[in-house]
Amino acid sequence: MDKDFKTKISKALGDDVLRGALGRFGDAYTLARAKAYEGYDFDALSENIVQVKSYAANHIDEMMDQFEKAATARGAKVYRAATAADAKKYVSDLVKKKGIKRIVKSKSMVSEEILLNDDLIADGIDVQETDLGEWIVQLAGQHPSHMVLPAIHMTKEEVATTFSGHLKRVEQPVIAELVKTARVELRKKFLEAEMGISGANIAVAETGTLMMLTNEGNGRLTNTLPPTQVFLVGMEKFVRKFEDAQHIIQALPKSATGQLITSYVTMITGPTPAYYADGTVKDKDFHIVIIDNGRRKMFNDEKFKKTFQCVRCASCLNVCPAFQLLGGHVYGHIYTGGIGTILTNFVNSERDAKNPQNLCLQCGKCSEVCPGKLDIPQMILELRNRMGEKDGIGAAPKFALDVVSNRRLFHSMLRVASLAQLPFSKGQPVIRHLPMFLSGLTEKKSLPTVAKVPFRDVIKKVKQEVKKPKGKVALYAGCLIDFVYPKIGEGIIAGLNEKGYEVIFPDGQSCCGAPATYMGDRKNARKCAVMNIEAMEAEKVDYVVSGCPTCTHALIDSFKELVQDDPTLLARAEELSRKSRDFSKLLFDLGGLPAGGDGVPMKITYHDSCHLKRSMGVFAEPRKILTDTAGVELIEMKESDRCCGFAGSYSIKFPEISGPILDRKMKNIEETGADFVVVDCPGCLMQIGGGLDKKNPKIKVIHTAELLLQKRKKAKMNKK
Amino acid sequence: MGIDKTTALYETFKSKLQVLSGECFRVNTAKEAGELVCKVMKEKGINNVALLNSAISLKGEFVNQISQAGITVYTDHFREVTPEAHAGITQVDYAIAEFGTLIQARNDASVDDRLCSTLIPIHIALVSTATMMPTLAEAMTTIHQLPQIPGFVGFITGPSRTSDIERVLTVGVHGPKQLIVIFVDEQVEGVA
């Protein structure tokens, strides 16, 4: 990550206008999208998209051949461009050959990608973007910051200034008037243009049909007026059958803008008639350019094949906590947000994706709303890992992660830390470079201290009372419970004891490797995996329980992937995966706890951790367990499953982004009027606890296991 | 299609279109459609209109009716008249109740059809009630089963709109600012 990138980030964060516009949009979008999907089965719809798009991806050459044959039979000229330069040359040659001087364009992201306008303008051609947002951005000399809403980063005042400068007259910052100006000015351009250039949302292989979904009417005009027409089509737009397109027509508007359908859906099959300059009506000169420009490389890569399922709705941007704060321009290229980072990696270069890939919190919110079922965080992680393997991850993080994957060294350091005067200052070497909880203090939150006695020592002294024993559970503590929040571990023991399970603590366990995984250090992550697979000895217990969803995710998913190359380890990892549960999930699966609790009124609100909710689909279970406890009243907060901004090392790497994300969480918590925020993740606990400590120390944060321990212990004492 | 089912589809169509600030009417005969068109245009202060003749407009003698209402009717030279005309009247081929969508799918992909429905600020669309389909899925199959997929198929759902500046919805950008849809129950023979 370079300095310029950090500068861009602070510039974006300091832009109140941008923050305001993006914030309002983010809020409104969520509601509009939900409303648009009312009465529709989103899962079924996205499953259909996955099917038709993955079929096309797996038969891409067949799709292109069929399309070319069908379109050619209808009179189209089809050209396949391997690179941006090929595509530009084709268009440029055509323009020169026909002596074309004036071009109107309706929206085409691929034309932005290949920077077509620059070439045409250099040739002295008048090229007009006609989509309002694109036109604004063009006049302002910028690039789109969003695939669907290119000028989302600009205010009406800025638009008015841009128009005034272009038209050499004063334009008022009144949106209706600005739109009118665009209509009048661009109408002239439409009527005199000799060529129209459009993008396509869908290309149907069997019929040679191109489809575009638009709202403003500029697409229809571009497709109707100029006698020469060029469609630029990214190779990912194909579907096999005409009817296959309906799933995209259904989902794209709903996911993109919260509309049931766009104002216009235009389907073009071969040349259509147009008026020529001499007043005659004849079929158009009709060209289709299919563009590869890095796409085939992307589809041929098993880990990125699914990008073909992307319909470019940009919903992943709209829900991304980082994008909502920063907008699109910090991503550096045409495609922005999470999916944009992945596309940039292939259509531009790995180097261009290197900075923006850091911006992903790995919160998984984007995957939840993606109609193409892309696991964007996973793909970004893959990029991160590849970059880490190729270029290294930097000396300081590398050292820290080397320490963490060496259990003895790591743990002895933590024990030293627990004896040192707390809190840590930045002046202390080594410690400040440890990942996660020991690193640099931030302005927004205070950090907890390392526990005097780690959980691995605490558990030896805990007296486990198990009446009618049913089995044995191995507790995987993870760094935060082991060394910072041992009380959570005690709560887990108490809960499981009550269900008839003895809890053991395999001593050889250490860090789950998540810090290494999320920083792109697959080597150290694998070391951690092996260490823990061997230590946990899942074969000897009924369950493995963890009170940290990030660790549980590692136990269930990551370890398996990391040791895939070793069949013996893989078998053990699979057994570990099968037996691993997050605490609240295990307790729920075991039938929950019998009625209990001290009955003292306690107003709580619940924060969903990203990994628990989205990686494991666990959210009802903790709520049930909590509200079954006498005295507990749950008040739901707004956006309870929105990331708290911790995201492991992210809060250290980007305190300036993590901070405002935490602020929003604080606001949502405060609005409930609850006295306690309950979480199931010690990372969230630390982040939210730190925020509350600074901002509103009256509200306390507590882990589910610890709450149960408190409320039920008291109840027992009361009974006595 | 049964009367009840047709009415239910019409009501769905109408409610979806009205949410998008489109206007929706239903009449029995082509003649009544002509009368309604004249009334609507008078109310809106329309002085001239580009009319692309169709089965319904011919049967309903639109040219006569509109002229008699004192409104200028253009029935040709559309490339010259549509940029300035106050309104355009075309007949569309199908409708989808699910979204309040009209479908243009003429087998000749007529450019005049597009000019009269795109360049003008007010689009008056005539549609035979019998062509109404409940869903997008059915519409896609219907289009695909035509002898050949028309060169131009256009779905129209409400007037043109944008939210490109500060995400504030503004109706009427490059396409029509108003969309008026008139369903005609009378079965009229001939090409749309």
Side-chain angles (χ1 to χ4, degrees):
Chain A
M1 200 170 27
D2 55 45
K3 252 197 217 135
D4 285 355
F5 186 58
K6 273 278 190 183
T7 313
K8 270 201 215 167
I9 288 173
S10 53
K11 216 178 123 201
L13 287 170
D15 187 339
D16 291 341
V17 166
L18 177 69
R19 294 271 301 271
L22 291 167
R24 282 193 301 278
F25 172 54
D27 293 349
Y29 168 78
T30 307
L31 299 173
R33 178 187 175 277
K35 187 143 197 331
Y37 274 111
E38 264 172 29
Y40 290 89
D41 183 344
F42 176 70
D43 285 335
L45 206 50
S46 37
E47 192 47 52
N48 286 331
I49 290 178
V50 168
Q51 275 185 21
V52 302
K53 296 289 280 180
S54 61
Y55 179 90
N58 289 324
H59 300 80
I60 184 65
D61 289 307
E62 200 184 312
M63 293 297 105
M64 290 201 286
D65 291 347
Q66 266 190 36
F67 178 87
E68 183 169 342
K69 200 175 153 203
T72 310
R74 292 290 294 263
K77 299 174 184 94
V78 179
Y79 173 71
R80 298 186 198 185
T83 63
D86 290 349
K88 287 195 280 194
K89 184 166 185 306
Y90 183 86
V91 177
S92 176
D93 286 352
L94 181 67
V95 166
K96 281 180 199 148
K97 195 180 86 192
K98 304 198 79 165
I100 283 163
K101 293 276 170 246
R102 288 174 295 254
I103 298 176
V104 282
K105 284 177 70 196
S106 67
K107 201 165 151 199
S108 158
M109 284 305 287
V110 72
S111 80
E112 294 277 2
E113 171 191 322
I114 64 174
L115 303 172
L116 176 67
N117 290 6
D118 294 359
D119 279 31
L120 292 172
I121 290 165
D123 286 344
I125 312 295
D126 176 10
V127 187
Q128 288 292 325
E129 293 291 346
T130 62
D131 172 85
L132 178 58
E134 290 274 343
W135 192 52
I136 293 168
V137 170
Q138 184 187 24
L139 293 181
Q142 301 178 2
H143 289 302
S145 67
H146 188 286
M147 283 187 268
V148 176
L149 300 159
I152 179 81
H153 59 286
M154 291 172 79
T155 58
K156 55 182 184 295
E157 285 77 16
E158 288 172 313
V159 175
T161 308
T162 304
F163 281 11
S164 303
H166 173 69
L167 300 167
K168 309 277 180 285
R169 64 164 192 255
V170 177
E171 285 282 319
Q172 297 303 321
V174 178
I175 294 174
E177 293 301 315
L178 294 166
V179 172
K180 202 186 274 173
T181 298
R183 179 184 175 101
V184 172
E185 291 302 318
L186 288 172
R187 186 52 72 87
K188 296 180 218 161
K189 300 289 181 183
F190 280 121
L191 290 169
E192 62 187 28
E194 301 145 295
M195 177 189 272
I197 298 179
S198 322
N201 297 100
I202 308 164
V204 181
E206 69 168 349
T207 59
T209 304
L210 295 166
M211 301 187 184
M212 52 195 295
L213 282 71
T214 64
N215 278 310
E216 296 179 358
N218 60 317
R220 278 169 67 95
L221 289 168
T222 306
N223 283 319
T224 294
L225 292 165
T228 298
Q229 172 143 33
V230 178
F231 264 99
L232 301 174
V233 185
M235 225 170 86
E236 75 285 4
K237 301 296 182 199
F238 289 99
V239 296
R240 181 166 61 141
K241 295 190 297 191
F242 189 77
E243 279 86 347
D244 289 346
Q246 66 181 297
H247 311 302
I248 300 166
I249 298 172
Q250 281 284 11
L252 181 52
K254 295 180 180 72
S255 285
T257 53
Q259 291 174 281
L260 279 181
I261 190 167
T262 43
S263 306
Y264 305 109
V265 178
T266 303
M267 307 177 178
I268 307 281
T269 311
T272 51
Y275 280 94
Y276 279 68
D278 61 3
T280 56
V281 174
K282 282 182 294 194
D283 273 353
K284 290 181 190 179
D285 184 15
F286 185 68
H287 300 258
I288 301 169
V289 182
I290 301 170
I291 298 173
D292 179 338
N293 199 32
R295 287 166 174 75
R296 191 183 285 272
K297 200 171 115 202
M298 184 157 56
F299 309 145
N300 285 344
D301 190 322
E302 269 314 307
K303 300 271 185 191
F304 295 94
K305 187 169 226 145
K306 282 188 178 173
T307 49
F308 204 102
Q309 290 156 214
C310 171
V311 298
R312 305 285 192 272
C313 69
S315 51
C316 53
L317 279 62
N318 300 343
V319 301
C320 172
F323 183 90
Q324 283 178 353
L325 285 170
L326 299 167
H329 284 151
V330 298
Y331 291 85
H333 275 274
I334 303 304
Y335 298 109
T336 61
I339 184 67
T341 303
I342 298 163
L343 296 174
T344 299
N345 187 79
F346 288 94
V347 305
N348 296 98
S349 74
E350 279 169 42
R351 200 165 40 88
D352 290 311
K354 199 160 180 182
N355 283 322
Q357 62 81 17
N358 283 297
L359 293 172
C360 174
L361 290 146
Q362 294 286 312
C363 77
K365 191 75 189 166
C366 50
S367 298
E368 201 175 64
V369 297
C370 177
K373 293 199 172 176
L374 273 72
D375 190 344
I376 294 167
Q378 193 56 44
M379 288 190 222
I380 290 184
L381 204 50
E382 182 62 28
L383 291 182
R384 201 175 284 174
N385 274 313
R386 290 183 188 184
M387 288 169 188
E389 271 153 26
K390 214 163 132 193
D391 308 332
I393 58 164
K398 173 77 167 60
F399 170 66
L401 295 172
D402 285 348
V403 169
V404 169
S405 69
N406 179 330
R407 181 174 62 87
R408 278 176 204 288
L409 179 58
F410 180 41
H411 289 173
S412 67
M413 272 182 165
L414 285 165
R415 283 175 195 269
V416 170
S418 78
L419 297 172
Q421 286 304 302
L422 304 171
F424 302 116
S425 77
K426 287 197 172 189
Q428 284 172 305
V430 182
I431 289 167
R432 76 189 175 100
H433 287 312
L434 289 174
M436 316 247 281
F437 51 94
L438 295 173
S439 198
L441 294 158
T442 71
E443 286 170 16
K444 297 277 180 188
K445 60 170 196 261
S446 51
L447 287 175
T449 56
V450 172
K452 282 209 181 75
V453 186
F455 180 70
R456 54 182 63 233
D457 294 343
V458 171
I459 188 170
K460 288 173 190 146
K461 290 182 187 145
V462 174
K463 219 177 125 217
Q464 299 198 34
E465 287 176 52
V466 186
K467 291 165 201 157
K468 293 186 215 155
K470 285 185 194 142
K472 207 189 273 180
V473 178
L475 195 155
Y476 180 81
C479 308
L480 280 176
I481 292 177
D482 202 353
F483 292 98
V484 184
Y485 300 115
K487 267 276 178 250
I488 298 174
E490 289 183 52
I492 293 174
I493 297 176
L496 292 173
N497 281 175
E498 206 174 330
K499 291 307 297 180
Y501 285 85
E502 185 203 341
V503 179
I504 58 159
F505 185 92
D507 261 329
Q509 64 179 284
S510 188
C511 173
C512 70
T517 299
Y518 297 115
M519 286 171 84
D521 182 355
R522 203 146 28 190
K523 233 183 186 163
N524 274 316
R526 190 180 187 281
K527 266 200 214 165
C528 292
V530 175
M531 188 157 58
N532 287 307
I533 292 166
E534 287 172 351
M536 292 313 289
E537 294 188 294
E539 302 80 6
K540 295 186 179 164
V541 292
D542 298 290
Y543 298 102
V544 174
V545 70
S546 151
C548 171
T550 305
C551 299
T552 318
H553 174 60
L555 296 172
I556 294 177
D557 300 309
S558 314
F559 289 180
K560 279 193 301 190
E561 285 157 30
L562 287 162
V563 300
Q564 250 172 3
D565 53 336
D566 183 330
T568 319
L569 273 173
L570 181 60
R572 297 193 75 188
E574 276 168 353
E575 176 138 19
L576 177 59
S577 170
R578 272 196 304 278
K579 287 184 174 166
S580 294
R581 304 274 190 289
D582 204 75
F583 170 66
S584 62
K585 168 78 175 152
L586 178 59
L587 201 56
F588 181 86
D589 287 354
L590 295 174
L593 292 171
D598 57 14
V600 179
M602 182 185 194
K603 270 201 241 173
I604 65 159
T605 186
Y606 186 80
H607 163 74
D608 290 282
S609 106
C610 296
H611 275 125
L612 192 61
K613 168 100 190 271
R614 284 181 283 272
S615 300
M616 286 167 259
V618 175
F619 55 95
E621 294 88 340
R623 286 175 167 81
K624 173 84 171 89
I625 287 165
L626 288 165
T627 50
D628 277 351
T629 310
V632 170
E633 181 199 348
L634 172 67
I635 309 159
E636 291 287 351
M637 72 173 93
K638 224 174 97 189
E639 307 173 328
S640 67
D641 70 348
R642 193 184 158 88
C643 181
C644 66
F646 176 62
S649 54
Y650 195 93
S651 54
I652 295 153
K653 221 166 22 175
F654 293 116
E656 67 274 45
I657 303 173
S658 171
I661 294 174
L662 175 61
D663 285 345
R664 182 157 168 164
K665 183 56 71 179
M666 293 292 108
K667 192 170 152 274
N668 288 333
I669 290 169
E670 283 169 353
E671 277 172 8
T672 63
D675 302 312
F676 287 86
V677 193
V678 185
V679 298
D680 269 281
C681 167
C684 303
L685 187 130
M686 183 165 80
Q687 171 86 345
I688 293 173
L692 287 171
D693 194 42
K694 284 244 161 164
K695 230 185 139 212
N696 197 340
K698 271 189 270 173
I699 305 176
K700 301 291 177 204
V701 59
I702 187 168
H703 190 282
T704 299
E706 207 181 338
L707 180 142
L708 293 178
L709 184 68
Q710 273 187 21
K711 293 290 271 184
R712 297 181 70 89
K713 196 194 258 171
K714 279 182 198 157
K716 271 184 209 160
M717 277 162 54
N718 288 348
K719 273 180 207 160
K720 285 172 193 169
Chain B
M1 212 182 308
I3 290 169
D4 286 352
K5 199 177 168 204
T6 306
T7 301
L9 287 181
Y10 171 74
E11 289 304 327
T12 304
F13 184 101
K14 187 178 176 179
S15 68
K16 298 289 179 192
L17 183 62
Q18 281 174 341
V19 170
L20 303 170
S21 66
E23 297 169 50
C24 193
F25 302 93
R26 184 177 175 188
V27 296
N28 286 319
T29 65
K31 180 117 187 302
E32 284 171 37
E35 287 161 18
L36 180 62
V37 163
C38 292
K39 183 168 164 270
V40 168
M41 289 201 291
K42 286 242 162 197
E43 279 168 11
K44 293 185 184 288
I46 293 168
N47 295 328
N48 62 70
V49 63
L51 167 68
L52 180 66
N53 261 316
S54 62
I56 291 174
S57 71
L58 290 171
K59 181 80 194 290
E61 296 177 351
F62 275 40
V63 175
N64 274 342
Q65 287 207 52
I66 297 169
S67 309
Q68 276 168 20
I71 296 167
T72 310
V73 198
Y74 305 113
T75 53
D76 52 17
H77 292 92
F78 291 116
R79 183 66 171 80
E80 287 78 44
V81 301
T82 47
E84 301 302 327
H86 290 179
I89 304 174
T90 69
Q91 182 172 341
V92 301
D93 301 276
Y94 308 98
I96 309 174
E98 185 178 4
F99 310 128
T101 297
L102 303 171
I103 303 179
Q104 299 173 304
R106 292 169 60 121
N107 56 18
D108 63 354
S110 156
V111 62
D112 289 334
D113 183 41
R114 283 176 276 149
L115 294 177
C116 294
S117 59
T118 308
L119 280 173
I120 38 63
I122 300 176
H123 178 208
I124 301 172
L126 309 168
V127 52
S128 168
T129 312
T131 63
M132 173 94 83
M133 291 176 274
T135 62
L136 171 68
E138 198 166 312
M140 294 296 283
T141 307
T142 303
I143 295 165
H144 197 191
Q145 283 170 355
L146 293 171
Q148 167 171 284
I149 291 178
F152 178 88
V153 176
F155 287 16
I156 301 172
T157 311
S160 78
R161 53 177 52 217
T162 186
S163 299
D164 271 359
I165 303 176
E166 295 191 357
R167 219 182 161 267
V168 173
L169 174 68
T170 312
V171 174
V173 201
H174 299 300
K177 299 172 186 179
Q178 295 181 43
L179 175 66
I180 298 138
V181 179
I182 303 173
F183 283 89
V184 182
D185 287 0
E186 178 186 14
Q187 296 274 6
V188 183
E189 293 299 316
V191 186

